[in-house]
Amino acid sequence: MVLQIPDSSLRVDILTGRRVIVAPGRSQRPGAVSSDPDLTDPAEGNPFVQGNESHTPNERLALRQADSLPNTTGWLIRVVPNQFPSVFSRCDNSAQSVDGPFKSLPLCGIHEIVVESPVTHRRLTELSVAETARILMAWQRRVRDLEQHPQLKSITIFRNEGFSAGASLPHVHSQILATNVVPPQTATRLKKSSHHRNLCGNRLLQDLCTWEVADGSRIVFSDPQCLVLCPYAGRVSWQMRIVPRQSPFDSFSSCTDSQLINVAGQLHAAAAAIDRCAGQLAMNLLLVQPPIENKTEGWFLDLMPRSARMAGYELATDVDVVSVAPEAAAALLREQFQFRTAAPKEVVLSGYRWYENRCGFSKAADV
């Protein structure tokens, strides 16, 4: 199949309405791929490595040896409060103010760090599929807990890997940010999805999968559970999206362990394929899900390499410029996508248990 991709085109994201310019000719300009400065541990050492548990706040979740105590060694993954949070748990309603045309609203929430490995790793591709599955399972356990909080309305989970992706520490970690407000892009996706459901009776994500399969040019990998594709109007070059296809995937918090393990295998394969095609780029990983009260509208993962910097046009127009067409990227990534899965016993090792600390009460959760 010969791809017919115009020299330049303006595309619209069906999920958000955002616009993106696909300009393949830009890939030939000097400095088209920006190098990523190296990150180093702070002078006092890596706070996330095993043995430095006292360097972080008390853990809220951990997969650890059954005979170990919280905030000690013997863990495989742990979740702790962020020492430098974007939001605070106490909501001060007096913070709302109006000064002429200027408006300020009260904001509160929970900001956490997921320390993804007890040993020093810098990239998702350095982890195994089993370790990747632990990350998704830890995210899910925290989402289930945060969904019960009466003040919280939205939960955003993301990984910043590398300086250009916003990371400040090199050790593999992700972040969970739950707030009492719904971010604008999340609200827009919900509005478009609800409008589509009212018109067609189907979820927008469900129909999007159908349309992408029919087209085929942006599909990287497909199985009965998920699609892996390059979005039609992705915001960065080499962007990949993992979209659940079946009804048991209605919400991220409702997925079974076996489903998460399958997604982990696809996520790991996607990250490795990008490395093979585009080099080891800084990368963001986003868990995109609707507001808590509308959580059955569907979710997906976006893997977003940072091959280029945001520049003046993007800042002036809020329109992203992409130099690798998604159809061209998908054709190359398809050849490098090597899907592997993991056995449940590799994810939660014998003798390990999930320990959770909810509302100040510590307990062990049997697998």
Side-chain angles (χ1 to χ4, degrees):
M1 179 179 65
V2 178
L3 296 174
Q4 299 295 326
I5 301 170
D7 291 337
S8 182
S9 62
L10 181 65
R11 300 188 181 190
V12 180
D13 181 1
I14 194 171
L15 299 179
T16 64
R18 285 187 63 92
R19 298 187 176 192
V20 59
I21 294 175
V22 177
R26 296 278 293 169
S27 63
Q28 304 303 315
R29 75 192 191 281
V33 178
S34 57
S35 59
D36 197 52
D38 190 35
L39 287 170
T40 58
D41 291 321
E44 63 272 17
N46 183 352
F48 294 158
V49 74
Q50 185 154 225
N52 284 351
E53 291 78 15
S54 63
H55 293 199
T56 69
N58 291 338
E59 64 194 38
R60 289 179 175 160
L61 174 73
L63 179 60
R64 56 171 50 256
Q65 293 172 346
D67 58 355
S68 66
L69 296 175
N71 306 304
T72 65
T73 59
W75 53 275
L76 297 176
I77 189 169
R78 64 196 299 256
V79 181
V80 299
N82 193 318
Q83 284 187 302
F84 309 98
S86 299
V87 294
F88 295 91
S89 57
R90 179 170 297 179
C91 199
D92 183 6
N93 289 326
S94 65
Q96 181 169 345
S97 64
V98 177
D99 182 8
F102 305 107
K103 186 177 183 180
S104 174
L105 298 174
L107 177 68
C108 64
I110 295 173
H111 194 173
E112 300 175 336
I113 295 289
V114 182
V115 185
E116 298 171 346
S117 173
V119 298
T120 302
H121 289 302
R122 289 172 174 252
R123 297 180 57 80
L124 181 65
T125 50
E126 295 176 21
L127 305 178
S128 66
V129 174
E131 289 172 304
T132 305
R134 287 177 202 145
I135 297 170
L136 298 183
M137 289 180 180
W139 290 1
Q140 185 191 61
R141 285 175 177 269
R142 292 306 300 138
V143 166
R144 286 173 174 172
D145 188 23
L146 294 170
E147 284 176 343
Q148 306 307 312
H149 197 294
Q151 283 190 301
L152 297 178
K153 296 183 179 180
S154 179
I155 304 170
T156 302
I157 302 183
F158 56 95
R159 291 181 88 255
N160 301 333
E161 182 176 284
F163 177 85
S164 299
S168 56
L169 290 172
H171 193 110
V172 287
H173 67 283
S174 45
Q175 301 184 54
I176 302 172
L177 186 55
T179 62
N180 67 325
V181 298
V182 178
Q185 192 165 234
T186 304
T188 298
R189 279 194 300 268
L190 176 62
K191 182 178 180 180
K192 287 185 172 293
S193 179
S194 299
H195 178 69
H196 182 83
R197 185 192 288 265
N198 290 336
L199 286 178
C200 307
N202 296 328
R203 292 184 306 182
L204 182 54
L205 274 175
Q206 178 184 350
D207 282 347
L208 178 62
C209 287
T210 302
W211 300 331
E212 287 288 8
V213 169
D215 180 278
S217 64
R218 290 174 294 276
I219 300 296
V220 176
F221 178 80
S222 174
D223 71 8
Q225 297 191 51
C226 291
L227 283 181
V228 182
L229 55 89
C230 294
Y232 173 77
R235 298 185 61 180
V236 297
S237 297
W238 304 104
Q239 181 174 340
M240 297 178 76
R241 178 170 292 168
I242 301 172
V243 188
R245 303 174 71 175
Q246 295 182 319
S247 57
F249 285 77
D250 278 349
S251 69
F252 181 72
S253 58
S254 68
C255 291
T256 66
D257 285 352
S258 63
Q259 290 166 342
L260 291 181
I261 291 172
N262 177 273
V263 172
Q266 299 186 24
L267 173 58
H268 194 273
I274 291 171
D275 276 6
R276 297 187 190 103
C277 290
Q280 294 189 355
L281 302 171
M283 199 173 299
N284 295 108
L285 171 63
L286 314 178
L287 169 61
V288 180
Q289 54 182 347
I292 292 173
E293 66 178 3
N294 307 96
K295 63 182 183 179
T296 59
E297 282 297 316
W299 62 275
F300 55 88
L301 294 174
D302 265 345
L303 196 57
M304 304 179 70
R306 304 299 291 272
S307 61
R309 296 182 295 269
M310 182 182 292
Y313 183 81
E314 293 90 335
L315 292 172
T317 64
D318 201 27
V319 176
D320 298 299
V321 180
V322 173
S323 61
V324 180
E327 294 81 6
L332 296 172
L333 292 164
R334 202 177 296 131
E335 297 178 357
Q336 300 297 330
F337 195 91
Q338 300 173 7
F339 173 70
R340 296 184 181 89
T341 188
K345 64 181 181 180
E346 297 176 279
V347 180
V348 180
L349 303 179
S350 177
Y352 282 77
R353 296 290 185 270
W354 288 101
Y355 282 82
E356 298 181 67
N357 183 354
R358 299 180 178 181
C359 302
F361 178 72
S362 298
K363 64 178 181 179
D366 289 334
V367 177

